[in-house]
Amino acid sequence: MASALLARTLAGLRTVRSSPISHAKISLTRNSIFNSKRSFIHNYLRSLSFTTSSSVRCAATDPSSGTTSTSAMQSATTNEPVVSAEWLHAHLREPDVKVLDASWYMPNEKRNPLQEYQVAHIPGALYFDVDGISDPSTNLPHMLPSEEAFSAAVSALGIENRDGVIVYDGKGIFSAARVWWMFRVFGHDKIWVLDGGLPQWRASGFDVESSASSDSILKASAACEAIEKVYKGQTVPTTFMARLQPHLIWKLEQVNQNIENKTHQHIDARAKGRFDGTAPEPRKGLKSGHIPGSKCIPFTQMLDSSQTLLPTAELHKTFAEGGISLDQPIIASCGTGVTACILAMGLHRVGKVDVPIYDGSWTEWAQTDAPVITASPSENIQ
């Protein structure tokens, strides 16, 4: 339950008259396409009809609440980045277990994660807007917000430092990995990804909810508003305290230095064609290729056919075949800092728990005059 501070924050939100989704007034006044998407999600959240949640019945019954919250957290280890659908089902009603739907999709997939959340989500799950809970001061997509902003947004969702957080997405393991990394960057280790995501949950026969309660929509909207308020210099009350772990995030300057110093092995999670410069980037106008010295291990090689994380032995084999030594430091990147976090999850499972992510990743790198390598030497930019 949200604290008194969070309750006052939510109470301060102005009342919005409900209207059908098809009549939502969408504000697209910002210059950046990424900020436009933030505005779209924010206004869409505020325009949703506040309806009572209903359950879509599957084969299983509702989870029992007989286990104590202490045993729930004790039975999940931070040595593992994932929990199973069965584990979550058994502990879903624990007061200190919070569940987040962090579904997000590539622009060319033309899927609306918020609408999908409305149609079906794990009972009690709140919506975590990957684009909205980010740094609004940059044109780069969903970059890590400040400590203060993340604290404010997570507090608005009703999460406290004592809580264990389970995050999932609609693909299996995809954007949920980004949120797992975000919580870890801000010092919260009690964070796990649901192995196999919503598809695995449903395949296991567990219930989902359709529509969303007014409380869940208010919290999702309040989280986005909290980000905006912090970046405008306003004070926002918090119940969650973020503590930045700078060793888990790299910036452009550090990646540039690593080309010369070679202190870290650099793994790129993008598909081989994009890495080689033979396939286009999904973002229009962005050149493909890779950062000098980086090696390609596509994030899909971390997952099995059911989109669950591979066992330790298979992950060891994958990294070895990719020319990566687990005895040496590693940095990971991708297109926009999402799928690199899946690499970080795989590395976490094999004991590499200190892998930083280059947050700007290829989208930032390709927009600078930094060197670019492709499979065609004549096209390389030095």
Side-chain angles (χ1 to χ4, degrees), residues 89-351:
H89 183 259
H91 299 289
L92 187 60
R93 304 303 183 189
E94 302 296 339
D96 61 349
V97 173
K98 303 297 172 61
V99 183
L100 299 176
D101 183 326
S103 298
W104 175 90
Y105 303 105
M106 296 291 288
N108 57 356
E109 292 183 90
K110 301 187 184 305
R111 292 177 63 176
N112 187 319
L114 187 54
Q115 285 183 340
E116 292 183 15
Y117 168 80
Q118 280 283 99
V119 171
H121 57 268
I122 292 174
L126 296 173
Y127 180 71
F128 186 103
D129 182 3
V130 171
D131 282 322
I133 302 178
S134 63
D135 181 357
S137 68
T138 175
N139 285 339
L140 295 171
H142 44 251
M143 293 293 96
L144 196 73
S146 67
E147 274 182 323
E148 185 182 0
F150 190 78
S151 296
V154 171
S155 295
L157 289 171
I159 296 172
E160 302 180 12
N161 292 88
R162 66 185 179 185
D163 293 328
V165 181
I166 313 299
V167 59
Y168 73 89
D169 60 58
K171 296 186 79 170
I173 294 181
F174 189 64
S175 52
R178 169 77 183 184
V179 179
W180 170 82
W181 171 76
M182 290 174 71
F183 272 88
R184 294 187 68 245
V185 167
F186 287 118
H188 192 76
D189 289 333
K190 292 183 290 185
I191 173 76
W192 296 269
V193 172
L194 176 61
D195 208 8
L198 186 61
Q200 185 63 33
W201 176 267
R202 302 188 78 164
S204 299
F206 299 140
D207 294 347
V208 294
E209 285 180 339
S210 61
S211 79
S213 68
S214 59
D215 182 62
S216 65
I217 295 301
L218 279 172
K219 285 181 177 179
S221 180
C224 294
E225 286 191 354
I227 293 283
E228 300 289 346
K229 288 179 179 179
V230 169
Y231 277 89
K232 290 178 180 177
Q234 300 177 29
T235 300
V236 180
T238 59
T239 58
F240 180 93
M241 179 63 68
R243 298 177 179 85
L244 181 66
Q245 310 297 304
H247 66 285
L248 292 178
I249 180 171
W250 270 27
K251 297 182 179 180
L252 177 70
E253 296 78 13
Q254 292 167 286
V255 179
N256 253 321
Q257 292 171 4
N258 192 58
I259 295 175
E260 297 296 327
N261 301 335
K262 297 179 174 60
T263 59
H264 287 61
Q265 303 165 97
H266 187 157
I267 312 177
D268 190 323
R270 292 175 301 149
K272 191 68 162 59
R274 293 167 62 188
F275 180 87
D276 287 339
T278 58
E281 287 293 310
R283 286 171 175 78
K284 188 176 180 180
L286 198 67
K287 60 192 173 189
S288 56
H290 62 269
I291 297 169
S294 59
K295 297 180 179 180
C296 180
I297 300 181
F299 75 91
T300 52
Q301 294 184 21
M302 301 291 102
L303 310 174
D304 64 16
S305 59
S306 63
Q307 300 302 295
T308 58
L309 195 62
L310 288 173
T312 301
E314 293 186 43
L315 290 170
H316 271 286
K317 181 180 178 182
T318 297
F319 289 120
E321 290 176 347
I324 299 299
S325 170
L326 298 179
D327 295 326
Q328 301 298 321
I330 298 170
I331 164 79
S333 68
C334 55
T336 61
V338 174
T339 59
C341 299
I342 303 176
L343 290 181
M345 285 180 60
L347 289 161
H348 190 103
R349 170 163 273 186
V350 298

Side-chain angles (χ1 to χ4, degrees), residues 2-14 155-156 222 225 229 235-239:
S3 69
L5 285 175
L6 180 56
R8 286 198 294 271
T9 302
L10 294 176
L13 294 174
R14 65 184 179 86
S155 295
E225 286 191 354
K229 288 179 179 179
T235 300
V236 180
T238 59
T239 58

